[in-house]
Amino acid sequence: NDTDIPYVFTSKKGIQNTGGTILFENNAQLMQDETGVLNSGNITMFRKARLPKKGYTYWSSPVLAQNVYTFSDGGGANGTPKDSFLLYDETTDYFENTGAFLLDDASVFQPALGYAIRGMNSFSADPAGITLPAVSHPFQFLGEPRNRALTFNLKRKDADHGYNLIGNPYPSDINFDALIDLNTNVSKM
């Protein structure tokens, strides 16, 4: 259902999909027991975004092995151009898709890493590509839901740098109060 009220499905023993369809529409969440419970099989999770053709949204995948380009029809005539899938370079404060940040057809979303992805070519008829579409577009994540503890090392070049683009690697909301409380060795978040 596509409402402002999130629907929450709680899994106590993991997700075991042996060929069926497990679908989470926009605003739905999959709450899972503590890490260590293994999942098998795929879920489909939709998230909607309303952005212009030349606008960017930040994404992170809640599933394992989600191909980056497949997510937004990368390179397709109506999709996002492949050079418009970007990673943030903390050392330069620029978004990039070159060198160490080069994405290719085999690239998959890395856990907790944020990606800046431009709107699809089909989103706007205006030449400037800045008009918002009338409705949100459903973006699809397809894969095994992530349910493992993660460690993500933030980068900091020097006092003038240190911004990192990170995202929620799980198919549910994050309790930010608990995240901050558990990371007492972090001076600023």
Side-chain angles (χ1 to χ4, degrees):
N1 195 358
D2 189 25
T3 67
D4 291 333
I5 302 169
Y7 288 90
V8 179
F9 176 77
T10 302
S11 171
K12 300 279 185 190
K13 302 289 182 186
I15 298 291
Q16 308 299 315
N17 185 1
T18 58
T21 300
I22 301 174
L23 175 66
F24 292 86
E25 293 287 354
N26 194 53
N27 293 328
Q29 298 182 51
L30 170 59
M31 298 296 292
Q32 302 175 82
D33 275 353
E34 297 296 319
T35 57
V37 175
L38 297 179
N39 296 317
S40 67
N42 292 339
I43 65 167
T44 300
M45 180 166 269
F46 285 100
R47 291 296 179 247
K48 288 189 174 183
R50 187 170 168 240
L51 67 154
K53 175 178 169 178
K54 298 216 175 158
Y56 282 81
T57 296
Y58 303 133
W59 295 99
S60 186
S61 177
V63 299
L64 301 170
Q66 168 73 50
N67 182 278
V68 175
Y69 290 150
T70 302
F71 174 71
S72 189
D73 193 19
N78 292 321
T80 299
K82 288 183 178 180
D83 64 354
S84 297
F85 290 78
L86 306 173
L87 294 168
Y88 185 71
D89 182 355
E90 179 272 341
T91 63
T92 64
D93 286 331
Y94 289 105
F95 286 92
E96 311 215 9
N97 188 350
T98 61
F101 300 92
L102 183 63
L103 298 169
D104 61 33
D105 290 338
S107 295
V108 295
F109 281 90
Q110 297 302 305
L113 185 61
Y115 295 75
I117 301 176
R118 201 199 84 179
M120 298 172 73
N121 284 335
S122 62
F123 281 1
S124 178
D126 77 288
I130 58 173
T131 302
L132 279 174
V135 297
S136 297
H137 179 79
F139 290 90
Q140 175 182 302
F141 293 100
L142 175 65
E144 182 181 302
R146 191 171 281 111
N147 188 33
R148 294 177 181 91
L150 293 173
T151 299
F152 187 85
N153 294 320
L154 299 175
K155 297 174 183 165
R156 184 167 188 204
K157 176 182 168 185
D158 55 39
D160 294 327
H161 295 84
Y163 294 105
N164 289 255
L165 183 58
I166 59 173
N168 180 359
Y170 300 107
S172 59
D173 290 343
I174 289 179
N175 181 332
F176 279 99
D177 290 334
L179 177 69
I180 291 169
D181 290 345
L182 290 171
N183 288 282
T184 56
N185 61 337
V186 177
S187 61
K188 293 181 182 177
M189 187 175 286

